[in-house]
Amino acid sequence: MYLISTRGKSKKMLALDAVLQGIADDGGLFVPERFPRIDLETLLEWGKLPYAQCAAKVLSCYFDIEYEEMAQMTQAAYASFSDAEVVPIQKIGEGEYVMELFHGPTLAFKDIALQLLPRLMSKALEASAKDALILTATSGDTGKAALEGFRDVPRTKIAVFYPNEGVSDMQKLQMTTQEGSNVYVGAIRGNFDDAQSTVKQLFGDPQFAEAAAERGMKLSSANSINFGRLAPQIAYYIYSYGRLVAAKEIEAGQEVNFVVPTGNFGNILAAYYAKRMGLPIYRLICASNKNNVLSDFLESGVYMAQREFYKTISPSMDILISSNLERLLFEISGRDSKAICHYMQDLKEQGNYRIRLADKLELSGQFFGDFADEYPTRSIIKSTFENDGYLLDPHTAVGRVVYGRYKRLMQDNTPTILAATASPFKFPQDVLYAITREQREDAFEAAAELARISGQQIPAQLEKLQQAPVRFTDVLDKQQMGEAVLKNL
Ligand SMILES: *Cc1c(COP(=O)(O)O)cnc(C)c1O
C-alpha cells in the first residue's frame, strides 16, 4: 500500500520505503492512502489465530509483503515474548478486561512494534544503497525497546536520547547497560519534548544529513512518528476483540471500548485505525497523567502545549507535544492537509492551535479524555491489588482511574478493554509505595518486596540488570546531540 503525508506536499510512498524514511519530506507524518475495510467475519477469524499470525494478517494489508513471509517475520519477532499467548487477556471486573502488552524483552508495549520494526527495516534496506542511522528520543520505554530491537542488526546503527532526570531507575539502567556494537545512549539535560524536538530538528538539518550520508547512512526514526511503529500495534486490538468473542465474553459484532494510557498518541491511534478497518469500537478512552494537554484538548478543541511540565510516576506519559495527534486530526478533518499545516504552524509559532468546531464535535463522539493525578493513581494501584488481585503499573493505573470516571459519568456499560502498557516491576518503588506506603530507595530491593507481596516473580530481564556493567554515561545539552551521534556511531 502507498502512504501519503498529512501535510499534502510530499509524493506518496510505498509503506516499506516510508518505514525507512521515517518522516515525510514536507515534515508531515505518513498515513495510509486509504484504510483497508475488513468484514467482521474475517476480523474474528484473524482474532482466533495465534498472535503472530493475526499480526501478519493485519500487517499484510499495509505492507507489500506476502502473508507467508510476513508470518515468518512476526513469528521471529514475538518468539522473544515470555508469555506463549504474547498478549494475554485477563478479566479484572464485570465487563472489564486487561490486555497485557508488556511480556516482551523490555517489559513495555513498545516491544510489540519494536521487535518487528528492525525486520521491516532490514527488508526495506535490501533495495537501499545506504545503511540506516536511527535516531530516537525516549520518555523511558521506547529507548530500551528500540535498542533491544536494533542491537547488532546488520546495516543499522541506533542512537537513543532520554531525559536525564525523567525516567525510572529501572528504565535508566535498562538503557545504560545496553549491549550491542551498533548502539549509543545519551542522557539529555531537559525533558522528553526537548529530546524529541531536537531529533526532529536533526531530521530537517541538511548539514547533519550530509554528514550521515558521507558515512554511508540515511537517517530514520524508531519513534512512533514512524509508520512501522504504528501498524504492528493495530493487531492487538483486533486480536483481543477476537479472543473475547471466542471466549463468549462478548457477542460477535458487539461494540467495545478501549482505554489507553496515552502520551505521544501512538497506541490509541492504532486503536482508531483498527476501528477504521472495521472493528466494532464504541469509544476510545484517552487517559493522560498530570500532563493533561490531551484531555484539555479533547474537551476544548484547543491544543495548548505551553504549560507547566510535570514529572510523574508514569514517566512514559510525561509528554506535552503529542506527535501522533496530527494523524488523527488529518482523518477527523476529512483529510484536510491545509488545515493540518495551519495547526502545526500555529503550534510551532505560538505553542497552541484551535481546531474547527465541526471537527471537535466529531472527536467528542468517538473519544473521551480525562486525566489522573498522582493520588488517585496510587490509590487505584492499591485498591486493584487488594480487591481484584491484580498488580497495575502506574501507567495502566492512570487508565483505570480514567475508565472509572468515564463509566460513572457516561453510565456506559459497554464491555471495556484496558491496555496494560508496562510491567509493574519496571516501577517497583512507586508501585510498592502505593500499596504499602513503604519507601525503598533501591529499585531491586523494592522489586524483591513487590515480588514477595504479590507472589509474582521479578522478570529475569530486570534481575540481570543488577550485575550488568554500565556502558553509557554521557550527559549532554540538547545542542550536543548531533555531534554525539556522529562521534559515537
Ligand atoms: C509509551 C508509553 C505510553 C504512551 O504511549 P503512546 O503511544 O506514546 O501514547 C504509555 N505507557 C507506557 C508504559 C509507555 O511506555
Side-chain angles (χ1 to χ4, degrees):
M1 178 184 288
Y2 280 101
L3 305 186
I4 56 174
S5 166
T6 49
R7 304 206 189 161
K9 297 191 196 93
S10 293
K11 59 181 195 313
K12 63 183 182 181
M13 197 177 253
L14 281 171
L16 211 48
D17 298 330
V19 164
L20 204 53
Q21 164 112 5
I23 195 163
D25 285 330
D26 59 6
L29 304 186
F30 285 113
V31 293
E33 190 175 31
R34 60 184 169 75
F35 286 103
R37 275 303 278 199
I38 313 295
D39 60 47
L40 180 69
E41 204 182 327
T42 308
L43 288 172
L44 291 175
E45 243 164 61
W46 293 358
K48 271 194 237 151
L49 296 171
Y51 187 80
Q53 290 174 31
C54 174
K57 292 284 187 192
V58 174
L59 288 160
S60 303
C61 300
Y62 292 97
F63 293 97
D64 296 299
I65 298 175
E66 292 295 326
Y67 170 75
E68 298 301 327
E69 187 181 358
M70 189 61 96
Q72 280 174 9
M73 289 162 82
T74 53
Q75 206 89 48
Y78 301 130
S80 59
F81 279 54
S82 64
D83 193 294
E85 280 273 313
V86 183
V87 176
I89 294 149
Q90 322 269 3
K91 185 168 187 167
I92 60 166
E94 203 36 54
E96 193 185 356
Y97 307 86
V98 173
M99 87 177 148
E100 295 184 344
L101 303 173
F102 55 77
H103 294 285
T106 77
L107 305 168
F109 85 91
K110 310 286 200 304
D111 286 324
I112 295 195
L114 282 163
Q115 283 295 302
L116 190 70
L117 182 68
R119 294 165 211 274
L120 293 171
M121 225 177 253
S122 292
K123 177 89 185 153
L125 280 170
E126 285 172 10
S128 157
K130 291 202 187 106
D131 294 352
L133 172 59
I134 292 139
L135 299 187
T136 302
T138 181
S139 58
D141 288 325
T142 293
K144 178 62 180 179
L147 289 162
E148 216 28 60
F150 280 100
R151 75 155 172 189
D152 296 326
V153 170
R155 302 191 57 197
T156 70
K157 290 183 175 173
I158 175 164
V160 163
F161 297 98
Y162 67 91
N164 192 32
E165 306 287 326
V167 301
S168 84
D169 294 348
M170 285 291 193
Q171 288 175 320
K172 186 180 271 196
L173 254 187
Q174 278 186 310
M175 290 187 278
T176 56
T177 58
Q178 178 63 43
E179 295 171 356
S181 59
N182 62 339
V183 302
Y184 172 75
V185 177
I188 298 302
R189 292 185 197 95
N191 60 33
F192 169 74
D193 294 306
D194 296 319
Q196 173 163 264
S197 65
T198 310
V199 164
K200 278 189 188 165
Q201 228 168 298
L202 287 172
F203 273 105
D205 177 350
Q207 253 177 326
F208 187 74
E210 199 174 308
E214 275 168 21
R215 293 163 161 80
M217 293 189 289
K218 183 177 160 52
L219 295 180
S220 189
S221 164
N223 280 108
S224 56
I225 51 172
N226 192 316
F227 183 76
R229 278 283 303 282
L230 202 49
Q233 296 176 174
I234 302 169
Y236 45 73
Y237 292 101
I238 293 171
Y239 177 82
S240 59
Y241 185 89
R243 280 302 195 264
L244 289 189
V245 172
K248 301 213 163 32
E249 292 287 337
I250 57 173
E251 280 168 41
Q254 186 178 357
E255 289 185 325
V256 296
N257 299 320
F258 283 99
V259 184
V260 187
T262 298
N264 223 355
F265 213 79
N267 201 0
I268 195 167
L269 184 77
Y272 174 79
Y273 278 20
K275 184 175 183 180
R276 294 296 301 266
M277 289 175 78
L279 196 69
I281 295 176
Y282 179 52
R283 276 227 177 76
L284 293 170
I285 299 168
C286 174
S288 305
N289 67 19
K290 196 173 182 185
N291 295 293
N292 60 348
V293 61
L294 281 169
S295 55
D296 279 356
F297 170 71
L298 289 169
E299 195 175 300
S300 67
V302 183
Y303 194 94
M304 287 215 282
Q306 268 168 349
R307 59 175 69 209
E308 194 171 340
F309 177 90
Y310 298 102
K311 267 178 50 168
T312 72
I313 58 171
S314 46
S316 305
M317 293 156 65
D318 290 346
I319 292 176
L320 293 179
I321 310 244
S322 206
S323 302
N324 279 295
L325 191 60
E326 178 169 344
R327 286 184 162 116
L328 178 67
L329 295 177
F330 182 70
E331 303 302 336
I332 295 288
S333 66
R335 304 201 140 197
D336 183 346
S337 53
K338 282 217 182 74
I340 303 300
C341 289
H342 280 299
Y343 297 157
M344 294 306 134
Q345 197 172 353
D346 285 353
L347 182 65
K348 200 166 154 191
E349 285 167 7
Q350 61 204 41
N352 62 59
Y353 59 86
R354 176 191 292 275
I355 62 169
R356 295 177 294 223
L357 183 62
D359 296 348
K360 198 231 150 230
L361 293 176
E362 174 67 24
L363 264 184
S364 309
Q366 302 199 50
F367 287 82
F368 173 90
D370 201 351
F371 75 101
D373 227 319
E374 309 288 73
Y375 180 78
T377 302
R378 287 200 177 96
S379 95
I380 208 153
I381 291 175
K382 183 177 169 71
S383 64
T384 302
F385 178 67
E386 288 171 356
N387 304 337
D388 308 308
Y390 192 84
L391 203 56
L392 295 167
D393 97 283
H395 303 76
T396 313
V398 165
R400 199 169 193 217
V401 172
V402 168
Y403 174 58
R405 289 202 200 127
Y406 167 82
K407 198 170 169 179
R408 269 182 311 240
L409 189 71
M410 307 301 261
Q411 299 284 309
D412 174 20
N413 289 321
T414 304
T416 296
I417 303 169
L418 169 61
T421 51
S423 159
F425 286 95
K426 273 190 115 161
F427 311 92
Q429 295 105 313
D430 289 314
V431 175
L432 182 70
Y433 178 76
I435 296 172
T436 64
R437 287 289 176 271
E438 211 181 312
Q439 290 199 335
R440 299 261 177 149
E441 281 280 313
D442 185 81
F444 295 98
E445 275 179 28
E449 185 57 15
L450 199 57
R452 194 186 65 76
I453 63 168
S454 67
Q456 296 183 22
Q457 276 185 344
I458 304 175
Q461 303 94 305
L462 294 182
E463 202 136 47
K464 78 169 199 221
L465 292 179
Q466 211 163 354
Q467 269 82 43
V470 170
R471 290 183 65 200
F472 299 100
T473 53
D474 288 358
V475 182
L476 311 164
D477 289 324
K478 60 183 182 178
Q479 295 80 2
Q480 300 171 296
M481 282 167 56
E483 193 189 309
V485 172
L486 297 174
K487 196 174 97 203
N488 290 287
L489 288 175

